[in-house]
Amino acid sequence: MGWKGILGFEYGIVQAPLGPDIAGPELVAAVANAGALGLLRAPDSESPEYLKELIRKTRSLTDKAFGVGVVLAFPHKENIKAILEEKVAVLQLYWGECSKELVLEAHSSGVKVVPQVGSLEEAKKAIDVGVDAIIVQGREAGGHVIGQEALISLLPQVVDLVGGRDIPVIAAGGIADARGYVAALALGAKGICMGTRFVATQESYAHSTYKRKLIEYDKTEYTDVFGRARWPGAPHRVLQTPFFCDWKSLPAQESETNQPIIGHSTIHRVEKEIRRFAGTCPNPTTTGDIESMVMYAGQGVGLIKEILPAGEVVKRLVEGAQLLIQQMSGESVYI
């Protein structure tokens, strides 16, 4: 049954490494304690000692295994070294090439490697270097989106590509409830990875206004308006807030570099100025014009109606998926 575990975890549910610091120890530990795979988000700058502190704090909150997500578009070698030294269960990689050397190094430390891909070509490269699982991200996903294909078409292609190999395929993009979970299983996935649904939890390190907007709004848009200078060529899906709707036609030559400062935030212990159109989503330390800041969200956001404990999210997903599958298997099917 597909709601059962992947990669040694009790359930086939993965909490995405929400950034820059939204997936902190409290959220990851809550997800792990519920039997799913929680992923910390590594800083986007080399901070190995601080990252080790995050890992150790998470371990103080759970005796279950968890992982760390790393964006390869930013400096990361020392961070990955720290992750392997700490021997977390899973190294999740995104937005860059996962090399065979890195996979071998991780495996020698007892760490499983799980890249997130947005195309069939990326998936093939991941299989060839010997990864342990693959997260397939559809264009419906919130945050930064590397591919252009919808999950419903890309996912079964990757499943077919994997074939009989022992590489679980995990679906990501627009999934927010048990129905999406079961749909992903029907397409051949062994599990799901969710971001937006876990931002909207009690333990996530998102600003309360950001969480509230995830309940209030139900439309998103794929754009490149935010963070053009810091992370060029990295389109993303965001909530259609009034601010975004007013500015979504921002000329291509504009970026956050020449914009006014609209707030301040402490991110991974570093004080940051937030300029208009920055790609930094607000956390609880953020001050200023919160409603004019980026709020990443996937297309499933309209299905999120309340802020729940992360463990309750996992519980509802598992029980809902079990019930749906039982109902379908017990009924006659007419075509």
Side-chain angles (χ1 to χ4, degrees):
M1 286 299 194
W3 64 76
K4 292 189 178 177
I6 51 173
L7 298 170
F9 292 84
E10 188 176 354
Y11 300 126
I13 297 167
V14 180
Q15 163 252 306
L18 311 163
D21 62 349
I22 304 304
E26 290 76 15
L27 174 59
V28 172
V31 170
N33 286 332
L37 170 54
L39 296 173
L40 288 168
R41 169 68 181 273
D44 292 335
S45 59
E46 296 284 26
S47 309
E49 293 307 314
Y50 171 73
L51 180 52
K52 286 181 180 181
E53 286 184 39
L54 286 179
I55 292 168
R56 290 165 187 170
K57 182 175 181 183
T58 307
R59 284 183 171 143
S60 75
L61 300 173
T62 182
D63 59 0
K64 303 287 184 68
F66 57 91
V68 183
V70 174
V71 177
L72 297 174
F74 298 107
H76 58 268
K77 288 184 179 180
E78 292 302 313
N79 288 342
I80 288 179
K81 183 179 177 183
I83 291 166
L84 301 187
E85 287 175 355
E86 287 294 315
K87 299 185 184 299
V88 300
V90 171
L91 169 63
Q92 190 264 359
L93 302 169
Y94 188 39
W95 216 281
E97 191 159 335
C98 173
S99 69
K100 189 171 188 66
E101 292 74 23
L102 176 54
V103 172
L104 290 172
E105 186 182 0
H107 286 172
S108 70
S109 297
V111 178
K112 295 175 181 177
V113 180
V114 180
Q116 180 166 284
V117 306
S119 69
L120 202 60
E121 293 73 24
E122 277 190 292
K124 186 177 187 312
K125 290 178 182 177
I127 292 168
D128 289 345
V129 299
V131 301
D132 299 280
I134 298 172
I135 299 173
V136 178
Q137 184 195 47
R139 199 172 187 268
E140 306 92 330
H144 293 85
V145 182
I146 201 167
Q148 291 294 318
E149 292 186 60
L151 184 64
I152 197 169
S153 58
L154 179 59
L155 176 59
Q157 292 182 72
V158 176
V159 169
D160 290 347
L161 184 66
V162 168
R165 300 177 184 88
D166 185 22
I167 302 176
V169 178
I170 301 162
I175 300 169
D177 65 9
R179 293 169 295 182
Y181 192 173
V182 173
L185 299 178
L187 292 169
K190 298 297 184 185
I192 57 169
C193 179
M194 300 193 307
T196 311
R197 175 62 272 192
F198 282 114
V199 177
T201 58
Q202 291 177 6
E203 295 90 348
S204 101
Y205 200 56
H207 193 282
S208 58
T209 298
Y210 182 8
K211 295 183 186 183
R212 189 171 68 249
K213 297 299 181 185
L214 293 174
I215 306 300
E216 184 178 341
Y217 295 109
D218 60 5
K219 289 185 173 58
T220 65
E221 190 158 331
Y222 183 78
T223 182
D224 74 339
V225 163
F226 296 98
R228 286 174 177 171
R230 179 174 174 271
W231 194 352
H236 36 272
R237 185 172 296 281
V238 302
L239 275 180
Q240 285 190 14
T241 61
F243 173 83
F244 172 73
C245 291
D246 287 343
W247 290 95
K248 64 181 180 179
S249 298
L250 187 72
Q253 69 272 18
E254 293 290 334
S255 75
E256 68 271 28
T257 54
N258 61 352
Q259 296 296 318
I261 295 168
I262 60 170
H264 294 81
S265 192
T266 303
I267 300 168
H268 292 308
R269 290 188 186 157
V270 179
E271 297 291 328
K272 302 275 190 180
E273 293 178 340
I274 300 179
R275 295 184 180 273
R276 189 167 60 189
F277 309 128
T280 305
C281 54
N283 69 27
T285 73
T286 308
T287 57
D289 185 2
I290 305 294
E291 299 203 9
S292 296
M293 296 177 188
V294 65
M295 296 183 185
Y296 300 112
Q299 286 186 338
V301 69
L303 299 170
I304 301 172
K305 305 299 182 185
E306 56 186 328
I307 307 299
L308 294 170
E312 182 66 18
V313 170
V314 174
K315 180 173 182 285
R316 291 189 185 188
L317 281 163
V318 173
E319 292 178 353
Q322 290 172 333
L323 181 60
L324 282 169
I325 292 172
Q326 289 165 3
Q327 288 173 341
M328 289 187 290
S329 64
E331 294 176 358
S332 299
V333 177
Y334 301 95
I335 299 176

